[in-house]
């Protein structure tokens, strides 16, 4: 809300005024989200790197934010790097991860990559995906 009303400058000012010991995962995540909303690639990547260094990049949330940004700008190769990093760190993909990644591959008409996403779903017995991922894949196959 602050971003839409007052702009990124006020968000950054707020972040910079938060005491260092109070800058939690959620505070960094909020700034990352603001940068993604603004399409600020370099700043989003820098915050993500800070989150990695501080041990805050341990869930799918920050990865999903960056994946969404890369999808918006058509940088699918960077999406693949993030997915690889998630796998190496044992960070599970969630519904949002699959939806955004599938959408990126549909937009780029990368059928083999769409199939790979569907295999992720089929391989993981603990993952329950709703129809949205399959719907995205079906629409992409019709292109």
């Amino acid at each position: 809300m602050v971003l839409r009303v007052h702009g990124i400058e006020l968000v950054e000012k707020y972040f910079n005024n938060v005491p260092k010991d109070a800058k939690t995962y959620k505070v960094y995540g909020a700034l990352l989200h603001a940068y993604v909303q603004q399409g600020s690639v370099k700043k989003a990547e820098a915050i993500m790197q800070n989150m990695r260094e501080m041990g805050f990049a341990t869930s799918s949330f920050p990865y999903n934010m960056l994946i969404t940004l890369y999808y918006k700008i058509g940088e699918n190769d960077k999406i693949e790097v993030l997915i690889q990093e998630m796998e190496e760190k044992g960070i599970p993909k969630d519904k949002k991860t699959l939806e955004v990644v599938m959408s990126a591959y549909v937009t780029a008409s990368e059928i083999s990559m769409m199939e790979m996403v569907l295999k992720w779903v089929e391989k993981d017995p603990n993952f329950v995906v709703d129809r949205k991922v399959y719907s995205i894949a079906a629409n992409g196959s019709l292109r």
Side-chain angles (χ1 to χ4, degrees), residues 45 48 52 63 66-67 70 75-89 101 105 113 116 120:
E45 290 173 337
M48 180 65 169
R52 286 181 185 110
Y63 289 91
L66 224 46
I67 288 168
Y70 293 147
E75 294 283 344
N76 288 2
D77 56 326
K78 290 184 178 183
I79 291 173
E80 293 168 27
V81 170
L82 287 176
I83 294 297
Q84 181 68 33
E85 182 178 332
M86 289 175 75
E87 289 173 355
E88 289 170 2
K89 292 184 175 185
V101 171
Y105 293 141
M113 298 305 281
M116 180 190 70
W120 293 341

Side-chain angles (χ1 to χ4, degrees), residues 28-121:
Y28 276 90
L31 183 59
L32 177 60
H33 184 262
Y35 286 147
V36 168
Q37 292 297 311
Q38 290 291 299
S40 300
V41 177
K42 296 243 185 265
K43 289 182 177 185
E45 290 173 337
I47 287 299
M48 180 65 169
Q49 186 57 38
N50 288 346
M51 291 179 78
R52 286 181 185 110
E53 292 167 2
M54 298 179 79
F56 292 161
T58 58
S59 73
S60 62
F61 172 75
Y63 289 91
N64 289 345
M65 288 288 98
L66 224 46
I67 288 168
T68 299
L69 178 58
Y70 293 147
Y71 164 54
K72 287 180 180 179
I73 64 172
E75 294 283 344
N76 288 2
D77 56 326
K78 290 184 178 183
I79 291 173
E80 293 168 27
V81 170
L82 287 176
I83 294 297
Q84 181 68 33
E85 182 178 332
M86 289 175 75
E87 289 173 355
E88 289 170 2
K89 292 184 175 185
I91 299 169
K93 298 172 217 64
D94 62 12
K95 180 178 151 183
K96 178 72 174 174
T97 311
L98 297 176
E99 288 174 5
V100 177
V101 171
M102 181 64 78
S103 295
Y105 293 141
V106 165
T107 300
S109 298
E110 295 183 28
I111 303 297
S112 64
M113 298 305 281
M114 291 167 39
E115 290 171 351
M116 180 190 70
V117 174
L118 293 175
K119 285 180 184 173
W120 293 341
V121 175

